[in-house]
Every structure is written in structure tokens, then in C-alpha cells.
Amino acid sequence: MHTSDYWIRHFKENARHKRVNWTLAPTITQDEIATVLPSLQAWQLGETSEGEHLIAASTRYAYRLGDPDYVDAVKLFIKEEQKHGYNLGRYIDKIGQKRIKHNWGDTLFRKVRYFNTSMEIWTLAVIVVESTAQIFYQALKHATGCRLLKEICTDILIDEAPHIVFQTERLAIIFEGKSAFSKA
């Protein structure tokens, strides 16, 4: 089990890695664009959240637990997710397509977040999204011949694996803090 300080160091160190060669020209075909663009746009939108509600929930939780560093770790986690959104947006721009401002899945997820104040529910939701992201970006990487898009997917996949560890460790900490009755 890693500490919040460990995760702060991890996210700061990971931010130093520049894994996408933006001098590459996108070589995605029109058929590939037709196939992947709606999903690419939806994921780009989803990766751009400011994370205000997650930060609020993590702040309440962290101070109750006596681990204020956890808030900084969550903020760095969000920043890494925003990097994914930035890179996807930059790619969408480079292929001459439009970013979207609304998506039913993103809208639903954002509305649910507004009512959620539980760190446990937040953590579970993020684990589901992060796990789905790994599947999506691996599939996208295999579905295209575009080297630039493959590099973007690889960068995201490298980030996502530790994200799941970060979240599952937190879920274990939350679980351990529960009463025997609640655990059952």
C-alpha cells in the first residue's frame, strides 16, 4: 500500500515524461476517422473535467482521515487526466475535426457526480472509468495505423495502469476503515 506522498511523487515524476512526438503528422484514414471519431470526441470531453466535486469529496475525506496530502495526490491525478484530454483535443484539431461540448454519457456521469459526496462511491466510479479507458485506448491503438494516435494511446495506457492502483489502494483503505457490519 502506497502513501499519499508516494503518489504525489509518482504523478510529479510521470508529468516529466513527454511520450508523444507532436512533430508526427496524423496519418489516420477517412474510414478510421468515421469509425473512431465519435468515441474519440466523447473520451476527449470526459478527460477534461476540472474535478471540482472529486476534489471536494477527497478534501472532506482526507481531513477526516488525517491525510491532507491525499488531496494533492488527487489534484495531480486530475491533472494527468486533463493531459489526456488536452492531447486528444490537440489530435482532433490536427485531423481537422471538431471537439464536442456535450455527450450523453459524459452529461450523465457529470450529473451523478454533482450529487455524490462519498469518497467510496467516487473511487468505485473512477475505477470503472479507468478500467474502461484501458480497454478503449488499447482497442483504439490496435484499430489505427496512425503512429501519432498510437503514441497518444500508449501515453494514456502508461498513465492509466497506476491510476487503477491509486484508486484500488484507496478503496482498500476505505474498506479497512469500515466496521465489521459495514464490511459484510
Side-chain angles (χ1 to χ4, degrees):
M1 200 70 73
H2 297 99
T3 65
S4 295
D5 184 58
Y6 166 87
W7 285 110
I8 290 168
R9 289 191 316 272
H10 165 80
F11 290 127
K12 285 181 177 179
E13 174 59 29
N14 197 44
R16 297 169 38 142
H17 297 282
K18 306 297 179 214
R19 300 181 194 103
V20 179
N21 179 0
W22 287 104
T23 64
L24 293 172
T27 57
I28 192 167
T29 68
Q30 288 303 312
D31 286 343
E32 288 175 340
I33 290 172
T35 301
V36 304
L37 184 62
S39 297
L40 194 61
Q41 290 167 319
W43 279 96
Q44 188 277 326
L45 178 63
E47 301 270 22
T48 60
S49 172
E50 294 295 318
E52 294 172 15
H53 293 90
L54 176 55
I55 292 168
S58 66
T59 300
R60 286 187 300 275
Y61 165 79
Y63 283 96
R64 193 171 56 248
L65 191 66
D67 183 13
D69 289 340
Y70 180 65
V71 178
D72 292 329
V74 167
K75 287 177 180 177
L76 291 168
F77 161 77
I78 291 167
K79 188 174 181 179
E80 203 162 90
E81 291 293 335
Q82 291 169 336
K83 175 193 77 166
H84 301 164
Y86 171 80
N87 285 346
L88 292 169
R90 187 171 174 184
Y91 183 78
I92 291 169
D93 296 344
K94 279 184 94 111
I95 63 172
Q97 300 298 316
K98 294 194 183 298
R99 300 180 194 200
I100 60 173
K101 294 186 185 339
H102 303 288
N103 170 272
W104 71 268
D106 184 67
T107 300
L108 179 63
F109 188 69
R110 287 177 193 252
K111 288 201 183 295
V112 168
R113 292 186 316 206
Y114 294 137
F115 300 109
N116 178 26
T117 59
S118 162
M119 199 64 230
E120 181 176 5
I121 301 300
W122 264 110
T123 305
L124 285 169
V126 172
I127 289 169
V128 169
V129 171
E130 296 293 306
S131 299
T132 306
Q134 283 192 316
I135 295 165
F136 172 74
Y137 290 113
Q138 191 65 54
L140 181 59
K141 182 178 173 180
H142 288 303
T144 185
C146 178
R147 189 168 154 212
L148 178 57
L149 185 53
K150 285 180 180 286
E151 285 190 8
I152 294 167
C153 290
T154 298
D155 179 58
I156 293 171
L157 287 165
I158 289 169
D159 291 347
E160 295 297 353
H163 290 182
I164 291 174
V165 174
F166 175 60
Q167 298 299 335
T168 55
E169 285 184 353
R170 186 52 49 177
L171 194 57
I173 291 167
I174 291 168
F175 185 76
E176 282 305 312
K178 292 179 169 281
S179 68
F181 179 77
S182 293
K183 285 179 184 179

